[in-house]
Amino acid sequence: MIKYLPHLIGFLFIAGLMVPLLYPILKAKLGLFLSLIPLTILIVLFSALAGLTPESLYLLPSSWGLLPEMNFGFRIDGLSLIFGLLISGIGFFIVLYAAWYMSKYERQGHFFTYLMLFMASMTGLVFSDNLLVLFIFWELTSVTSFLLIGFDHHLAKSRQAALQSLLITGLGGLCLLFAVIMIGQVAGTYEISLLIERGIHLGDHPKYRLIFVLLLLAVLTKSAQFPFHFWLPGAMQAPTPVSAYLHSETMVNAGVFLLMRIHPVVGGTMEWKYMLMLTGVITMFLGAFFSMGQRDLKRILAFTTISALGTMVLLIGIDTPQSMKAALVFFIVHGLYKGGLFMVAGIVDKSTGTRDIYLLSKLFKPLPFTSIAAVFALISMAGLPPMLGFIGKELVYDAQIQLPGMSWLLLPLGVGANIMMVAISITIFTEVFSPFGKSDPIKVKYREKDFPWYFLGGPIVLALAGLMLGLMPGMLDTLIANALYAAKNQLLDVNLSLWHGFNDVLLLSLFTVVSGIVVFIFRRSLNVHIGRLIDWFDKYHLPTLFAKGTKIYVDRAYKRTQIIQHGYHRFYLLTFFIVTGLLIVAQVNWDFLSVMPDGGYTPLRINLVLLLVVASLAVIFAVFSRSRLSAILAMGVVGYAVAILYLMYGAIDLAITQFLAETVIMVLFVMVILYLPKFAVLSTRNSRIRDWIISLSIGTLVTFVVLHARFINLYEPISVYFIKNSLTMAHGRNIVNVILVDFRALDTLGEITVLTLAAMGVYSLFRFKVKKNKSKKEL
Amino acid sequence: MELIFAIFIGLLYACGVFLLLRRSIVKVILGVFVLSNATNLIIFLAGGIKRSGSAFIPEGAETIDPAVISDPLPQALILTAIVIGLGIAAYILALKYRYFEETGTHDLDQLSKTDRK
């Protein structure tokens, strides 16, 4: 069944694009309908779990690709399954959730299009077996994320947040592209399975550092690591289903996924360990710290997400089997509780109209099931038994303790971050949900029974899943062992259990909980200090700095563009003529003798020379004339002279056409000229002299080019064919006409089209005026 | 004769380019017409001016010797060009008329503001 996975991903793409057609038919049922696709994917992925052993790997090669090195092959192993299960599982609930959440929005169809496209790209990302394909899906997630963050595009804040996230993740995407290409060049293949099979490791390659830094930038930007973390709180401008899905557990985890996926090829070096540990630990601590000072429920969750992402990066950086295992478990834990909490935040927002935790209170009564789900999720976030979060946190501590040399730094910061997590969890519970306390219950617009089942289902099921996995963690053993085999390329025994016996880790956990409660009790005075710190940070506020930076860049670019795109018509032309002239100068053969034709020039014809002299005088007169009418008449003289030239050389049709066209143009000109002002001397003397120099040089160059062109015969003229076949094939004696209407009839069709367009243009130009005059009169 | 032709075309080009570089839109349009005539002449000259018979097959004959008639292919090309030139002329004049009506100026430098914020 798993072999249909690529089709299902394609189906997600198609479903997303079909939304505009489906929406008018299904209306509010659209979300329910679309949720069937992630559900199908979830079932298919579950079916793959059945045959899973710690070493099994299922490849779905494909001969189809955009480029020879770019096959859309898919790879199903523990790592992609863990991510895939969460993406499709939570995706299923998110789509259901969004079906009601978005029902009041106008552009619901657009939303589901973006969401489906995102889901397809994200699923493609984790399952693809080719680095280039992975890159494409990676970029697609950035773009869809941009569209979703800026979904409320009438708000300047949304647009700004969307742009900010796109610029940052886009920068990372570019880095990833370079890194992927370099890996491909060095290793000779882009297939992940081949890279692992051949045991390629780039650690000793001279370009390793460059590749690693590029990969690191991609990961740090995508997974909102310090110092790029600030786009994630901004991304909370998106509708809540998006925050719950993209910006807590799928897209932002793509960086974590990439690290694990690419680990066998570039991982385990000193650079890897120190850089990842450093950024991870800073991000983990800062995220938790900043979440303390926030009021908005979604912003709190965003900062805890940053902290969680930091934890995962840190664990991957520690790079021991225990830490990798911890990172995988922590990813599952985080996905389950954070998705649920975000959905709860959305429910609370819909029900009360606010997300400010200090305004909210006593929501247990109106929202009992939601509150229970939230409590389970909060317990998981705090890392307490019996939730899976407890196991996750124990593993994290275990990994941090067992790290020789660095644990003196990592452990205090890790424990500190967890203490804050405990404190935040308790704070959210007491402020928002707890039925006890003195504060007055907040007024609610909707009670739980006003919501449909599919709006509430997500958090409850996710909380139950966290509880079930916490009680029976053994279910994950094989999956995680297989993922570890994929990420670390070594076979490990995984035995998850809730109870580890009395040991250092348990003591640390106890200490964390006690300290968390202490921090919670003193939270008010602590928050004052944190608030001050945040204010101090705001001076060097990264989003503002970033916005300033982009603004300066855009302004500079605008000024630079102004130099080239100055808007003066004649200077554009001047540039064009000078450049073309110089190009011709470089090409023209200045040897005057070579301009002579082999058979010499044709003899002068005095009457024609006189004609040309008259025409020359006329054109010079036209240029200098101050009167519009005489200038036009002089132009007419030139036109007629050219017509006579045609006539003298036997081109009768040309002469007739030229006479007619010239006459019509003159008549039109004279008609229009009545409505136009007189000539005025607008240019200065100097600019006229400059223009004369340029135009005379152009004229001279053209003379040379014409003389050259006249005597170049690269190919036998094809006119002979037309002359020979004019009568026999096309039954016409006037060869020029036969060429026009028979041999080259399509050209003439094009000509007619041009004329029709011009006529339509003229017509609309005049018609438009009539309308406007009318409206003026009415006014 | 070719030399005289080439110099004439060069003169037309010089005048056309000079007119194109003016600020007054009427002169720019005149420049376009001059250039289109000059370009037609280049094509005509490329066909050769040694032979000057009309490109007709006389009554009763099946074909005619290519050496006695002027090249029909450039003629066909120019004919198309003239007609299109006419279309452009009509359109450009209508456009200019409307442009003057809207803006009240015939100074192209005034148009530069459309490119600025």
Side-chain angles (χ1 to χ4, degrees):
Chain A
M1 215 149 88
I2 191 75
K3 66 172 180 274
Y4 295 114
L5 183 69
H7 304 88
L8 283 170
I9 294 173
F11 196 60
L12 269 176
F13 267 113
I14 295 167
L17 297 174
M18 291 284 282
V19 163
L21 296 177
L22 294 172
Y23 182 59
I25 309 169
L26 294 163
K27 297 266 159 116
K29 300 271 190 312
L30 179 69
L32 303 185
F33 176 75
L34 288 176
S35 71
L36 293 177
I37 309 173
L39 184 65
T40 318
I41 295 181
L42 186 68
I43 293 167
V44 166
L45 292 181
F46 264 119
S47 79
L49 284 182
L52 200 74
T53 65
E55 279 174 274
S56 65
L57 164 68
Y58 191 72
L59 285 177
L60 282 170
S62 153
S63 54
W64 185 80
L66 292 173
L67 295 168
E69 280 115 14
M70 212 169 154
N71 292 320
F72 277 76
F74 288 87
R75 174 189 177 87
I76 291 117
D77 58 12
L79 187 56
S80 51
L81 275 175
I82 289 179
F83 278 79
L85 282 168
L86 251 84
I87 291 163
S88 56
I90 298 180
F92 166 63
F93 289 112
I94 290 287
V95 175
L96 283 180
Y97 177 81
W100 195 81
Y101 189 92
M102 301 303 293
S103 58
K104 298 275 160 60
Y105 281 74
E106 251 177 47
R107 298 177 305 121
Q108 229 189 107
H110 292 234
F111 177 82
F112 280 108
T113 303
Y114 304 152
L115 193 64
M116 287 289 129
L117 292 182
F118 169 78
M119 203 181 278
S121 339
M122 195 66 212
T123 318
L125 194 160
V126 296
F127 283 104
S128 59
D129 190 36
N130 185 301
L131 285 174
L132 288 171
V133 176
L134 187 146
F135 162 76
I136 290 182
F137 284 127
W138 177 285
E139 284 297 74
L140 277 175
T141 60
S142 291
V143 173
T144 41
S145 156
F146 163 76
L147 290 169
L148 284 166
I149 296 172
F151 186 69
D152 291 323
H153 54 60
H154 56 279
L155 301 175
K157 251 164 111 187
S158 290
R159 294 198 301 270
Q160 206 182 349
L163 185 65
Q164 181 178 292
S165 79
L166 182 70
L167 287 175
I168 293 174
T169 50
L171 172 83
L174 274 182
C175 293
L176 179 64
L177 178 62
F178 286 128
V180 161
I181 290 176
M182 286 176 78
I183 292 175
Q185 300 253 312
V186 172
T189 177
Y190 292 101
E191 306 290 324
I192 295 166
S193 46
L194 282 181
L195 284 169
I196 295 177
E197 201 178 284
R198 293 180 193 165
I200 293 170
H201 191 276
L202 306 180
D204 299 324
H205 196 272
K207 282 188 182 150
Y208 173 74
R209 288 210 169 157
L210 183 57
I211 294 176
F212 175 69
V213 167
L214 288 170
L215 276 176
L216 187 72
L217 278 174
V219 170
L220 298 192
T221 50
K222 196 76 161 183
S223 286
Q225 298 294 298
F226 181 82
F228 303 105
H229 62 280
F230 57 87
W231 71 263
L232 191 57
M236 293 299 126
Q237 291 294 330
T240 305
V242 177
S243 312
Y245 193 45
L246 275 72
H247 304 123
S248 73
E249 49 212 313
T250 53
M251 191 190 100
V252 286
N253 277 308
V256 174
F257 171 80
L258 181 71
L259 284 177
M260 293 194 186
R261 180 52 96 209
I262 208 77
H263 180 269
V265 184
V266 296
T269 58
M270 288 314 274
E271 293 94 333
W272 171 280
K273 286 183 178 169
Y274 282 103
M275 286 310 292
L276 291 182
M277 276 197 281
L278 190 68
T279 47
V281 81
I282 294 174
T283 314
M284 171 181 76
F285 191 78
L286 276 186
F289 185 75
F290 277 124
S291 66
M292 295 285 289
Q294 306 296 326
R295 298 174 68 98
D296 181 348
L297 200 49
K298 267 175 83 176
R299 276 183 81 85
I300 296 176
L301 293 176
F303 278 107
T304 57
T305 304
I306 292 175
S307 173
L309 291 167
T311 312
M312 283 184 253
V313 170
L314 165 70
L315 289 171
I316 295 170
I318 292 175
D319 201 22
T320 57
Q322 284 86 356
S323 78
M324 278 292 192
K325 184 171 75 179
L328 284 163
V329 175
F330 196 79
F331 167 73
I332 302 173
V333 170
H334 176 250
L336 291 176
Y337 79 70
K338 195 53 70 62
L341 280 178
F342 263 112
M343 285 195 252
V344 166
I347 295 173
V348 168
D349 192 8
K350 281 277 171 190
S351 151
T352 62
T354 179
R355 295 195 305 253
D356 188 328
I357 56 165
Y358 296 116
L359 293 178
L360 294 164
S361 63
K362 296 191 176 162
L363 281 178
F364 187 76
K365 224 173 175 191
L367 303 171
F369 283 104
T370 313
S371 303
I372 291 171
V375 168
F376 276 118
L378 288 171
I379 291 174
S380 205
M381 180 158 99
L384 300 177
M387 301 296 290
L388 186 62
F390 176 69
I391 301 172
K393 190 205 58 189
E394 299 281 284
L395 285 171
V396 174
Y397 278 176
D398 195 29
Q400 287 170 350
I401 287 179
Q402 291 194 7
L403 182 72
M406 287 288 282
S407 58
W408 60 269
L409 173 70
L410 297 184
L411 202 56
L413 287 174
V415 174
N418 262 309
I419 290 173
M420 288 187 273
M421 286 292 187
V422 173
I424 293 159
S425 301
I426 305 176
T427 311
I428 294 178
F429 172 70
T430 50
E431 295 291 349
V432 182
F433 299 106
S434 163
F436 317 108
K438 284 167 281 180
S439 52
D440 303 322
I442 187 171
K443 267 192 207 160
V444 289
K445 283 189 268 179
Y446 295 101
R447 295 179 157 270
E448 211 159 63
K449 59 178 185 294
D450 300 327
F451 295 124
W453 60 270
Y454 50 86
F455 186 58
L456 301 169
I460 296 169
V461 173
L462 291 182
L464 286 178
L467 178 65
M468 193 184 70
L469 288 174
L471 294 173
M472 292 177 279
M475 294 163 77
L476 291 172
D477 285 354
T478 323
L479 190 58
I480 289 188
N482 189 306
L484 274 176
Y485 183 63
K488 275 209 65 87
N489 215 1
Q490 62 193 97
L491 207 54
L492 294 158
D493 218 15
V494 178
N495 260 321
L496 299 177
S497 63
L498 198 59
W499 179 248
H500 286 269
F502 288 100
N503 52 20
D504 304 348
V505 174
L506 192 68
L507 282 176
L508 267 179
S509 294
L510 279 175
F511 171 72
T512 311
V513 174
V514 173
S515 317
I517 294 170
V518 171
V519 170
F520 164 71
I521 293 167
F522 294 107
R523 70 185 185 282
R524 299 228 178 253
S525 47
L526 259 174
N527 275 350
V528 174
H529 293 291
I530 293 176
R532 258 186 228 151
L533 258 175
I534 289 177
D535 286 344
W536 180 77
F537 259 106
D538 272 350
K539 271 192 220 157
Y540 310 97
H541 198 40
L542 283 171
T544 329
L545 282 182
F546 183 80
K548 265 189 199 160
T550 42
K551 195 177 173 303
I552 290 171
Y553 177 79
V554 169
D555 285 352
R556 288 265 169 85
Y558 178 71
K559 274 180 193 151
R560 294 279 183 285
T561 316
Q562 280 296 314
I563 296 172
I564 308 167
Q565 303 274 317
H566 43 68
Y568 287 97
H569 176 253
R570 57 205 167 98
F571 293 127
Y572 291 141
L573 286 174
L574 205 67
T575 321
F576 167 76
F577 283 128
I578 290 173
V579 172
T580 323
L582 288 176
L583 285 177
I584 295 174
V585 167
Q587 295 290 323
V588 161
N589 183 359
W590 292 102
D591 183 2
F592 284 83
L593 283 177
S594 74
V595 170
M596 280 287 286
D598 294 337
Y601 291 116
T602 46
L604 288 180
R605 288 164 72 172
I606 298 300
N607 52 351
L608 286 183
V609 173
L610 283 176
L611 183 71
L612 289 181
V613 169
V614 171
S616 308
L617 290 175
V619 76
I620 291 166
F621 176 75
V623 171
F624 287 104
S625 166
R626 287 285 166 82
S627 151
R628 295 159 304 167
L629 201 59
S630 40
I632 292 160
L633 288 178
M635 291 300 300
V637 171
V638 179
Y640 283 138
V642 172
I644 293 170
L645 267 184
Y646 292 149
L647 193 61
M648 299 304 276
Y649 283 101
I652 298 163
D653 301 281
L654 277 191
I656 297 169
T657 320
Q658 174 80 7
F659 274 126
L660 282 173
E662 203 63 39
T663 315
V664 171
I665 290 173
M666 293 242 296
V667 169
L668 284 175
F669 224 128
V670 170
M671 273 164 62
V672 173
I673 214 90
L674 280 177
Y675 299 96
L676 294 178
K678 291 190 171 151
F679 283 159
V681 181
L682 291 170
S683 47
T684 59
R685 197 182 142 79
N686 281 343
S687 73
R688 275 201 303 280
I689 292 171
R690 180 197 63 205
D691 291 350
W692 266 124
I693 292 171
I694 289 162
S695 41
L696 284 175
S697 343
I698 293 282
T700 321
L701 284 173
V702 168
T703 306
F704 272 94
V705 171
V706 168
L707 285 175
H708 274 294
R710 173 62 193 89
F711 304 111
I712 294 170
N713 252 342
L714 291 178
Y715 301 102
E716 198 58 31
I718 54 168
S719 318
V720 179
Y721 169 83
F722 293 133
I723 296 168
K724 275 193 179 145
N725 294 307
S726 173
L727 187 69
T728 48
M729 284 172 73
H731 308 289
R733 293 188 185 277
N734 183 337
I735 301 167
V736 177
N737 286 6
V738 166
I739 291 173
L740 283 174
V741 299
D742 196 305
F743 292 122
R744 308 292 311 169
L746 276 180
D747 294 355
T748 311
L749 186 69
E751 176 194 336
I752 294 167
T753 315
V754 171
L755 274 189
T756 317
L757 285 177
M760 274 157 57
V762 172
Y763 176 70
S764 54
L765 277 171
F766 281 95
R767 207 174 78 109
F768 179 53
K769 177 201 75 179
V770 173
K771 263 190 182 170
K772 200 185 169 197
N773 280 357
K774 263 188 189 166
S775 64
K776 263 183 192 167
K777 272 176 199 164
E778 280 163 15
L779 285 170
Chain B
M1 202 64 219
E2 280 90 347
L3 196 61
I4 308 283
F5 254 98
I7 291 169
F8 180 61
I9 291 168
L11 177 76
L12 286 185
Y13 256 88
C15 292
V17 169
F18 182 75
L19 285 170
L20 274 190
L21 295 176
R22 299 301 85 209
R23 276 166 68 178
S24 162
I25 194 166
V26 184
K27 291 199 173 174
V28 173
I29 294 170
L30 285 177
V32 173
F33 294 164
V34 175
L35 282 185
S36 85
N37 264 332
T39 311
N40 287 347
L41 274 180
I42 294 182
I43 301 173
F44 191 69
L45 190 62
I49 52 171
K50 280 185 183 155
R51 306 157 283 161
S52 57
S54 303
F56 284 114
I57 297 171
E59 204 68 42
E62 275 280 294
T63 181
I64 189 166
D65 181 11
V68 298
I69 58 168
S70 57
D71 198 340
L73 186 62
Q75 293 186 34
L77 294 177
I78 298 168
L79 211 144
T80 310
I82 293 173
V83 176
I84 289 180
L86 175 67
I88 290 171
Y91 182 72
I92 214 171
L93 283 171
L95 196 64
K96 181 190 71 169
Y97 174 68
R98 287 286 300 140
Y99 155 68
F100 181 66
E101 223 180 36
E102 285 290 317
T103 60
T105 176
H106 64 133
D107 182 358
L108 275 173
D109 278 14
Q110 305 283 326
L111 265 186
S112 67
K113 291 192 184 72
T114 56
D115 269 12
R116 287 155 191 264
K117 272 183 191 167

